[in-house]
Amino acid sequence: MNELERIAHLAARFGVGGPAVRVGIGDDAAVLEGFAGSLVWTVDAQVDRIHFRVEWASFYDVGFRSFMAAASDLAAMGAEPVAALSSLVLPLSVDDEAVGALSTGQADAARDVGAPIVGGNLARGTETSVTTTLVGRATHPVLRSGARAGDLLLLAGDVGLAGAGLLALLHGVQDARIAPCLEAWRRPRARIADGRMLAAFAQKGHAHAAIDISDGLVRDASHIARASGVRLVFDAEKLVTHVGPKLLAAADVLGRDPLSLALYGGEDYALLVASDVPMDGFSCVGVVEPVSPGKKPCVMVRGPSGTREVEPYGFDHFG
């Protein structure tokens, strides 16, 4: 297909849809209407050899995971997804079959999230790149800066599984016990339903801060710590209990510590929330404490041997 044919293909694949969409694909820009509350915007780019490798993930996976990565940011803000834009940069080596698989992955993810793709851009380049922009709406957007001493640290979703899957791919590990980890890395899911729960508790004044776990639990938790001026203290035993048998089995295969996988593995898109009350579907894995005199906001882990500060290692594009 040439450029115009591919644009027509994408328009047919994505359609228009959505109650807020007045004008979708086919004009100079999309038109959305009927908003109440705040608009919440996010954008995420997935680039070949940086975020994925086509020998490790199908083009369907690339489309699916790229959309879910962006949608996860809306869940972390307690925002209801409305619509999305997709920008594709494709080398000549990406043929029509691959474009079809990639767009199907995007369309399926968009349908799961409830955010129709209403426009975007298509260009030729030297590497495959998928940039997804989403807009949502929220009456009480949840920020990173509201955590308070005494809050519970609540976690919804897996942490460490996707990181374990990536390790298995990097080292060529093949074992049936790794399968859930590969699935977690290839097809993560934005926790939209948990985001709605977050929004409901925020509206009642309980959920004070939140973030999605894309770069690793410690690294992302450190953003809340700095923004809120507190320290986040994870309970090692509770965290290992939360991750469950799938990660424990994978850790055994990989010869890794399951707690380290949980703390530093990224791209699971779990939700971490600071709340003064428990929330349905979330596990309590720690507490928020005030910063000690003369100390800086930080992330700590409390275990049988005491409480220690952990460095916010995680994925860094320029580290």
Side-chain angles (χ1 to χ4, degrees):
M1 293 184 285
N2 61 30
E3 180 181 355
L4 293 178
E5 290 169 336
R6 283 191 170 183
I7 291 173
H9 165 84
L10 294 172
R13 179 77 71 193
F14 299 147
V16 179
V21 181
R22 178 179 175 185
V23 177
I25 297 173
D27 219 303
D28 286 329
V31 179
L32 308 179
E33 58 185 13
F35 292 100
S38 301
L39 294 183
V40 181
W41 295 84
T42 187
V43 61
D44 187 88
Q46 298 269 311
V47 182
D48 188 16
R49 314 304 295 182
I50 302 297
H51 300 90
F52 62 88
R53 296 184 186 179
V54 293
E55 61 267 32
W56 290 350
S58 68
F59 275 99
Y60 179 95
D61 295 334
V62 171
F64 191 92
R65 74 193 305 274
S66 63
F67 196 96
M68 287 295 182
S72 180
D73 289 332
L74 294 187
M77 300 286 286
E80 187 67 27
V82 173
L85 300 174
S86 172
S87 179
L88 302 178
V89 177
L90 304 173
L92 292 176
S93 59
V94 177
D95 60 18
D96 294 342
E97 182 179 358
V99 172
L102 193 156
S103 60
T104 299
Q106 290 178 293
D108 286 352
R111 189 160 39 250
D112 285 355
V113 167
I117 299 173
V118 297
N121 188 59
L122 180 64
R124 187 178 72 182
T126 58
E127 60 192 2
T128 300
S129 174
V130 183
T131 300
T132 309
T133 302
L134 273 100
V135 60
R137 56 175 177 262
T139 54
H140 293 81
V142 183
L143 310 181
R144 302 174 178 180
S145 54
R148 308 169 186 174
D151 279 348
L152 306 173
L153 287 178
L154 306 178
L155 188 62
D158 296 313
V159 287
L161 277 186
L166 179 58
L167 280 173
L169 291 168
L170 283 168
H171 297 289
V173 177
Q174 297 184 2
D175 190 292
R177 291 171 290 175
I178 294 293
C181 304
L182 298 176
E183 179 72 8
W185 183 78
R186 288 172 174 148
R187 297 190 189 178
R189 291 184 176 272
R191 305 192 69 84
I192 302 301
D194 291 322
R196 294 188 181 108
M197 179 67 67
L198 168 63
F201 275 76
Q203 192 168 2
K204 296 176 182 178
H206 295 303
H208 302 144
I211 195 168
D212 71 319
I213 309 305
S214 56
D215 295 328
L217 182 59
V218 173
R219 187 175 182 85
D220 289 321
S222 72
H223 297 318
I224 291 181
R226 286 195 299 270
S228 300
V230 293
R231 70 179 193 178
L232 274 57
V233 183
F234 289 103
D235 184 298
E237 183 178 355
K238 290 180 179 179
L239 189 56
V240 171
T241 299
H242 175 84
V243 299
K246 292 179 181 178
L247 187 64
L248 295 178
D252 184 56
V253 172
L254 296 169
R256 300 291 180 115
D257 173 29
L259 179 61
S260 293
L261 288 174
L263 290 172
Y264 296 108
E267 296 188 297
D268 285 298
Y269 303 106
L271 296 185
L272 178 66
V273 178
S275 171
D276 60 352
V277 297
M279 291 169 48
D280 295 341
F282 287 72
S283 300
C284 180
V285 294
V287 294
V288 179
E289 296 183 350
V291 175
S292 302
K295 300 292 185 179
K296 295 181 179 179
C298 63
V299 178
M300 309 191 80
V301 174
R302 182 166 291 146
S305 58
T307 303
R308 60 185 174 91
E309 183 176 347
V310 287
E311 292 296 324
Y313 299 127
F315 182 75
D316 186 332
H317 280 282
F318 304 104

